Amino acid sequence: MSDAFCSDCKRETEVVFDHSAGDTVCSECGLVLESHSIDETSEWRTFANESGDNDPNRVGGPSNPLLTDGGLSTVIAKPNGSSGEFLSSSLGRWQNRGSNPDRGLIVAFKTIATMSDRLGLVATIKDRANEIYKRVEDQKSSRGRNQDALLAACLYIACRQEDKPRTVKEICSVANGATKKEIGRAKEYIVKQLGLEKGQSVEMGTIHAGDFMRRFCSNLGMNNQAVKAAQESVQKSEEFDIRRSPISIAAAVIYIITQLSDDKKPLKDISLATGVAEGTIRNSYKDLYPHVSKIIPNWYAKEEDLKNLCSP
C-alpha cells in the first residue's frame, strides 16, 4: 500500500491497488481514486504444472521431462496465400525429413490425455500413465502390439498405483475399440516388462470395494444417507471371508442398501451403473445375506427391516 490524497477524506490516506480491475481505492472510505490503470511492469506468470512450483517464465509452455527436447521443439506452421503454399510445402518437406524421435510418444501422450479427460482423472494419474508407457517404450519390445490396448493398460495400472482404481470396463469404454481381453493381456505384458526392468515385482496397489462405492452411488443418484450407509457396510464386509471381487461386493451392497430404502433401484440399473452382471450381483448378494445383520449399520435399518429383505 501507498499514500495518496483522497478528495472525500480531505487528507492523505493509504490506498490499495486492485490489480484485477486496475483501480486505486482509498482504504478508509472506499472511494475509487483512479480506475482502469495500466500496469507497465513485466507480465510475469508461471507455467509450472504444480501451483507450489516457483517457475516465473514469460513465454513458452510447460516442459515435459519424458521427451528428448523437453517438449519444446519448433514446428513450422503453414502460412496463407499461394506463395505461402509453395513455401509451406518446401519447409514442410524439410521438416518431415528431420526425424523426431518423440513423435510416437507425443501421439501416445495425447491419447492418454484424452482418455484421462473422458474419465475425469486427475493430472497425477495421467502423468503416471505417461511415465509407465515411456518405460515400456524404452525397452523396444512393444512393437507390433495393440497400441490402444497398451495405452489403456498403462492408464489402468496408473489408477491402481495412485489408489484411484477404475474397473477394466470403465477403461475399456474410452480405449478406442480395445476389448477387455486385449487390455488384460496388455496389462500382464506391461507388469512383466516393468518387473524385468526393476528385477522385482511391480507394486499395483490393493483394490477395495470402498474405492468404487462413491462413484457407483453417484451414478445411481443415491442420497447422502444411503451413500454413507453403503460405505460403512462395505468396510464391515471386509471382516468376513466373502470370496468375491471387490466390484461385485460393492454392487451387492448397493443392492441391499437400496432395497432397504424408499428409493429402491432395480437390479438392471445397478448392473448398468457398476458394470457388474446381474447374475454376479445375485450370487454376491447370496454370499452377503447371512452376514447382513452385522454389515448394515443399525442407524440405517432395524432388525425387522432386515427381515423384509428377499431371501436369495
Side-chain angles (χ1 to χ4, degrees):
M1 291 190 294
S2 59
D3 293 340
F5 181 81
C6 177
S7 57
D8 277 9
C9 299
K10 307 297 183 183
R11 58 188 175 85
E12 291 277 335
T13 60
E14 287 189 341
V15 295
V16 179
F17 184 72
D18 184 356
H19 292 273
S20 60
D23 296 338
T24 303
V25 185
C26 175
S27 62
E28 295 190 11
C29 67
L31 177 68
V32 177
L33 302 178
E34 186 179 357
S35 61
H36 304 295
S37 302
I38 298 175
D39 186 2
E40 297 180 352
T41 59
S42 300
E43 188 184 0
W44 295 108
R45 56 171 292 192
T46 179
F47 289 91
N49 289 328
E50 301 296 333
S51 58
D53 291 351
N54 185 17
D55 181 27
N57 294 318
R58 291 199 62 196
V59 294
S63 61
N64 189 341
L66 298 178
L67 301 177
T68 304
D69 55 6
L72 302 177
S73 58
T74 301
V75 178
I76 302 172
K78 294 182 179 180
N80 297 323
S82 58
S83 60
E85 291 178 2
F86 172 77
L87 181 65
S88 169
S89 60
S90 301
L91 292 175
R93 283 197 299 270
W94 281 105
Q95 182 170 271
N96 292 332
R97 287 176 186 174
S99 59
N100 184 0
D102 296 329
R103 185 176 300 173
L105 284 177
I106 294 172
V107 174
F109 292 167
K110 285 182 179 178
T111 304
I112 290 175
T114 301
M115 291 192 293
S116 300
D117 291 341
R118 290 177 64 185
L119 288 172
L121 303 176
V122 296
T124 52
I125 296 178
K126 180 190 70 174
D127 294 341
R128 176 63 67 91
N130 289 343
E131 180 187 345
I132 293 171
Y133 180 78
K134 176 69 163 59
R135 287 166 57 190
V136 173
E137 187 68 17
D138 286 345
Q139 297 185 27
K140 306 295 182 184
S141 59
S142 62
R143 195 180 300 273
R145 292 186 173 272
N146 187 332
Q147 284 297 302
D148 290 328
L150 206 63
L151 295 173
C154 289
L155 195 60
Y156 174 81
I157 295 172
C159 290
R160 291 276 299 268
Q161 292 183 343
E162 292 293 326
D163 294 327
K164 301 291 182 183
R166 293 295 188 273
T167 64
V168 178
K169 196 166 187 177
E170 287 177 300
I171 299 292
C172 186
S173 66
V174 298
N176 299 324
T179 64
K180 290 173 63 177
K181 183 179 287 187
E182 290 172 336
I183 295 174
R185 289 174 179 171
K187 185 203 76 172
E188 297 298 330
Y189 165 76
I190 292 171
V191 170
K192 180 181 178 182
Q193 293 300 315
L194 296 183
L196 292 174
E197 178 192 30
K198 285 188 171 183
Q200 58 185 7
S201 60
V202 178
E203 181 61 38
M204 289 279 288
T206 306
I207 294 181
H208 300 281
D211 297 332
F212 307 97
M213 188 57 68
R214 182 169 289 278
R215 191 166 67 257
F216 289 167
C217 292
S218 176
N219 293 340
L220 286 164
M222 296 168 60
N223 59 48
N224 292 334
Q225 189 178 22
V227 173
K228 183 180 178 182
Q231 289 177 320
E232 289 186 20
S233 302
V234 159
Q235 290 179 353
K236 291 181 181 178
S237 68
E238 294 180 355
E239 299 173 4
F240 303 95
D241 185 21
I242 301 170
R243 300 185 180 182
R244 294 283 174 180
S245 69
I247 303 170
S248 303
I249 293 174
V253 167
I254 290 174
Y255 175 72
I256 295 172
I257 293 296
T258 56
Q259 294 308 302
L260 292 170
S261 68
D262 296 330
D263 185 19
K264 293 179 172 57
K265 305 289 184 183
L267 200 60
K268 182 179 179 181
D269 290 354
I270 297 175
S271 176
L272 289 173
T274 61
V276 182
E278 295 182 32
T280 305
I281 297 176
R282 289 194 189 95
N283 292 333
S284 300
Y285 171 69
K286 184 177 180 180
D287 293 343
L288 285 171
Y289 185 78
H291 313 289
V292 71
S293 60
K294 298 177 181 178
I295 291 175
I296 304 300
N298 295 329
W299 59 265
Y300 185 77
K302 304 301 180 184
E303 192 71 30
E304 53 270 18
D305 296 327
L306 299 178
K307 292 179 180 178
N308 293 330
L309 286 172
C310 59
S311 178

